[in-house]
Short mmCIF file of all heavy atoms in Angstrom, two decimals:
data_model
loop_
_atom_site.label_atom_id
_atom_site.label_comp_id
_atom_site.label_asym_id
_atom_site.label_seq_id
_atom_site.Cartn_x
_atom_site.Cartn_y
_atom_site.Cartn_z
N TYR I 452 -0.65 -7.30 55.71
CA TYR I 452 -0.95 -7.23 54.26
C TYR I 452 -2.43 -7.31 54.09
O TYR I 452 -3.09 -8.28 54.52
CB TYR I 452 -0.21 -8.28 53.47
CG TYR I 452 -0.57 -8.33 52.07
CD1 TYR I 452 -0.09 -7.44 51.12
CD2 TYR I 452 -1.19 -9.56 51.61
CE1 TYR I 452 -0.43 -7.61 49.80
CE2 TYR I 452 -1.48 -9.68 50.24
CZ TYR I 452 -1.09 -8.77 49.31
OH TYR I 452 -1.42 -8.86 48.02
N ALA I 453 -3.05 -6.36 53.29
CA ALA I 453 -4.54 -6.38 53.06
C ALA I 453 -4.92 -6.51 51.65
O ALA I 453 -5.89 -5.91 51.22
CB ALA I 453 -5.17 -5.22 53.72
N ASN I 454 -4.06 -7.21 50.85
CA ASN I 454 -4.36 -7.39 49.41
C ASN I 454 -4.60 -5.95 48.73
O ASN I 454 -3.64 -5.12 48.77
CB ASN I 454 -5.50 -8.34 49.20
CG ASN I 454 -5.69 -8.83 47.73
OD1 ASN I 454 -4.66 -8.96 47.12
ND2 ASN I 454 -6.89 -9.18 47.37
N TYR I 455 -5.73 -5.63 48.14
CA TYR I 455 -6.07 -4.39 47.44
C TYR I 455 -6.63 -3.38 48.40
O TYR I 455 -6.97 -2.32 47.97
CB TYR I 455 -6.93 -4.68 46.20
CG TYR I 455 -6.30 -5.29 45.15
CD1 TYR I 455 -6.65 -6.72 44.81
CD2 TYR I 455 -5.39 -4.78 44.37
CE1 TYR I 455 -6.09 -7.35 43.81
CE2 TYR I 455 -4.84 -5.41 43.19
CZ TYR I 455 -5.15 -6.74 42.97
OH TYR I 455 -4.54 -7.36 41.94
N GLY I 456 -6.85 -3.80 49.67
CA GLY I 456 -7.41 -2.90 50.61
C GLY I 456 -8.84 -2.51 50.37
O GLY I 456 -9.28 -1.43 50.65
N THR I 457 -9.64 -3.41 49.73
CA THR I 457 -11.03 -3.16 49.52
C THR I 457 -11.84 -3.42 50.75
O THR I 457 -11.38 -4.03 51.72
CB THR I 457 -11.63 -4.08 48.40
OG1 THR I 457 -11.58 -5.41 48.78
CG2 THR I 457 -10.91 -3.93 47.09
N ASP I 460 -11.66 -7.07 51.36
CA ASP I 460 -10.41 -7.54 51.78
C ASP I 460 -10.24 -7.38 53.30
O ASP I 460 -9.65 -8.25 54.08
CB ASP I 460 -9.25 -6.78 50.97
CG ASP I 460 -9.17 -7.22 49.52
OD1 ASP I 460 -9.74 -8.32 49.20
OD2 ASP I 460 -8.70 -6.50 48.69
N LYS I 463 -12.13 -9.89 55.14
CA LYS I 463 -11.47 -11.16 55.10
C LYS I 463 -10.28 -11.27 56.08
O LYS I 463 -10.15 -12.27 56.80
CB LYS I 463 -10.95 -11.42 53.73
CG LYS I 463 -10.32 -12.87 53.50
CD LYS I 463 -11.47 -13.91 53.59
CE LYS I 463 -10.91 -15.23 53.24
NZ LYS I 463 -11.94 -16.24 53.39
N MET I 467 -10.01 -13.89 59.20
CA MET I 467 -8.91 -14.79 59.52
C MET I 467 -8.16 -14.58 60.78
O MET I 467 -7.15 -15.07 61.00
CB MET I 467 -8.00 -14.67 58.30
CG MET I 467 -8.67 -15.21 56.88
SD MET I 467 -7.53 -15.26 55.54
CE MET I 467 -6.40 -16.64 56.03
N ARG I 479 -1.86 -3.15 47.93
CA ARG I 479 -1.53 -2.92 46.56
C ARG I 479 -2.61 -2.12 45.85
O ARG I 479 -3.77 -2.11 46.25
CB ARG I 479 -1.19 -4.08 45.79
CG ARG I 479 -2.31 -5.27 45.78
CD ARG I 479 -1.81 -6.44 44.93
NE ARG I 479 -2.49 -7.69 45.14
CZ ARG I 479 -2.60 -8.66 44.34
NH1 ARG I 479 -1.94 -8.58 43.11
NH2 ARG I 479 -3.30 -9.75 44.52
N LYS I 482 -8.47 -2.24 42.06
CA LYS I 482 -9.74 -2.71 42.57
C LYS I 482 -10.59 -1.56 43.14
O LYS I 482 -11.78 -1.63 43.05
CB LYS I 482 -9.61 -3.77 43.51
CG LYS I 482 -8.83 -5.03 43.13
CD LYS I 482 -9.55 -5.75 41.92
CE LYS I 482 -8.73 -7.05 41.53
NZ LYS I 482 -9.26 -7.63 40.40
N TYR I 503 1.26 0.35 47.29
CA TYR I 503 2.29 0.11 46.18
C TYR I 503 1.66 -0.52 45.07
O TYR I 503 0.57 -1.15 45.10
CB TYR I 503 3.43 -0.80 46.76
CG TYR I 503 3.09 -2.18 46.84
CD1 TYR I 503 3.56 -3.14 45.86
CD2 TYR I 503 2.29 -2.74 47.81
CE1 TYR I 503 3.17 -4.46 45.97
CE2 TYR I 503 1.84 -4.13 47.92
CZ TYR I 503 2.42 -4.93 46.98
OH TYR I 503 2.10 -6.27 47.05
N ASP I 505 1.83 -3.54 42.63
CA ASP I 505 2.51 -4.82 42.55
C ASP I 505 2.74 -5.19 41.15
O ASP I 505 2.13 -4.92 40.20
CB ASP I 505 1.43 -5.85 43.12
CG ASP I 505 2.07 -7.16 43.41
OD1 ASP I 505 2.28 -7.95 42.56
OD2 ASP I 505 2.35 -7.41 44.61
N GLY I 507 2.56 -7.92 39.74
CA GLY I 507 1.43 -8.60 39.19
C GLY I 507 0.44 -7.91 38.52
O GLY I 507 -0.32 -8.46 37.65
N ASP I 508 0.39 -6.56 38.92
CA ASP I 508 -0.66 -5.76 38.25
C ASP I 508 -0.06 -4.91 37.15
O ASP I 508 -0.74 -4.57 36.10
CB ASP I 508 -1.30 -4.93 39.30
CG ASP I 508 -1.97 -5.78 40.35
OD1 ASP I 508 -2.89 -6.55 39.88
OD2 ASP I 508 -1.75 -5.71 41.52
N VAL I 592 -0.15 -17.59 55.65
CA VAL I 592 -0.14 -17.41 54.15
C VAL I 592 -1.51 -16.81 53.79
O VAL I 592 -2.62 -17.05 54.40
CB VAL I 592 -0.05 -18.77 53.47
CG1 VAL I 592 -0.19 -18.69 51.92
CG2 VAL I 592 1.39 -19.42 53.83
N VAL I 593 -1.48 -15.94 52.77
CA VAL I 593 -2.62 -15.21 52.30
C VAL I 593 -3.67 -16.08 51.70
O VAL I 593 -3.39 -17.21 51.18
CB VAL I 593 -2.24 -14.21 51.31
CG1 VAL I 593 -1.35 -13.06 52.00
CG2 VAL I 593 -1.63 -14.69 49.97
N PRO I 594 -4.90 -15.71 51.64
CA PRO I 594 -6.01 -16.46 50.99
C PRO I 594 -5.69 -16.60 49.47
O PRO I 594 -4.89 -15.90 49.03
CB PRO I 594 -7.23 -15.61 51.20
CG PRO I 594 -6.87 -14.75 52.36
CD PRO I 594 -5.42 -14.51 52.31
N ASN I 595 -6.35 -17.61 48.99
CA ASN I 595 -6.31 -17.76 47.47
C ASN I 595 -6.70 -16.48 46.71
O ASN I 595 -7.67 -15.87 46.99
CB ASN I 595 -7.28 -18.93 47.05
CG ASN I 595 -7.05 -19.22 45.56
OD1 ASN I 595 -6.03 -19.37 45.06
ND2 ASN I 595 -8.28 -19.53 44.88
N GLY I 596 -5.86 -16.03 45.72
CA GLY I 596 -6.10 -14.93 44.95
C GLY I 596 -5.31 -13.70 45.49
O GLY I 596 -5.35 -12.59 44.72
N TRP I 597 -4.71 -13.76 46.65
CA TRP I 597 -4.09 -12.60 47.21
C TRP I 597 -2.56 -12.53 46.84
O TRP I 597 -1.89 -11.62 47.20
CB TRP I 597 -4.33 -12.61 48.70
CG TRP I 597 -5.67 -12.18 49.11
CD1 TRP I 597 -6.79 -12.44 48.50
CD2 TRP I 597 -5.97 -11.45 50.33
NE1 TRP I 597 -7.95 -11.91 49.25
CE2 TRP I 597 -7.45 -11.26 50.38
CE3 TRP I 597 -5.34 -10.89 51.44
CZ2 TRP I 597 -8.14 -10.60 51.34
CZ3 TRP I 597 -6.02 -10.22 52.42
CH2 TRP I 597 -7.34 -10.12 52.39
N GLN I 598 -2.00 -13.60 46.35
CA GLN I 598 -0.60 -13.57 45.95
C GLN I 598 -0.36 -12.65 44.83
O GLN I 598 -1.02 -12.60 43.83
CB GLN I 598 -0.28 -14.96 45.50
CG GLN I 598 1.19 -15.18 45.01
CD GLN I 598 2.32 -15.05 46.15
OE1 GLN I 598 2.08 -15.49 47.24
NE2 GLN I 598 3.36 -14.46 45.80
N GLY I 599 0.65 -11.70 44.99
CA GLY I 599 1.05 -10.90 43.90
C GLY I 599 2.27 -11.33 43.18
O GLY I 599 2.56 -12.61 43.27
N GLY I 600 2.99 -10.46 42.54
CA GLY I 600 3.93 -10.87 41.56
C GLY I 600 5.44 -10.75 42.25
O GLY I 600 6.35 -11.18 41.43
N TYR I 605 3.28 -14.65 49.73
CA TYR I 605 2.67 -13.42 50.56
C TYR I 605 2.05 -13.89 51.79
O TYR I 605 1.38 -15.02 51.86
CB TYR I 605 1.69 -12.86 49.52
CG TYR I 605 2.29 -11.93 48.51
CD1 TYR I 605 3.39 -12.30 47.91
CD2 TYR I 605 1.63 -10.57 48.24
CE1 TYR I 605 3.93 -11.38 46.84
CE2 TYR I 605 2.16 -9.89 47.21
CZ TYR I 605 3.26 -10.25 46.53
OH TYR I 605 3.81 -9.40 45.51
N LEU I 607 -0.11 -12.63 55.57
CA LEU I 607 -1.00 -11.59 56.06
C LEU I 607 -0.20 -10.78 57.17
O LEU I 607 -0.49 -9.56 57.29
CB LEU I 607 -2.15 -12.25 56.80
CG LEU I 607 -3.26 -12.78 55.91
CD1 LEU I 607 -4.38 -13.45 56.62
CD2 LEU I 607 -3.85 -11.77 54.96
#
Side-chain angles (χ1 to χ4, degrees):
Y452 172 72
N454 196 27
Y455 291 105
T457 64
D460 290 339
K463 187 68 174 178
M467 295 185 71
R479 50 179 167 161
K482 305 296 185 183
Y503 76 102
D505 195 280
D508 299 305
V592 175
V593 297
N595 185 41
W597 286 32
Q598 175 72 33
Y605 281 41
L607 288 178

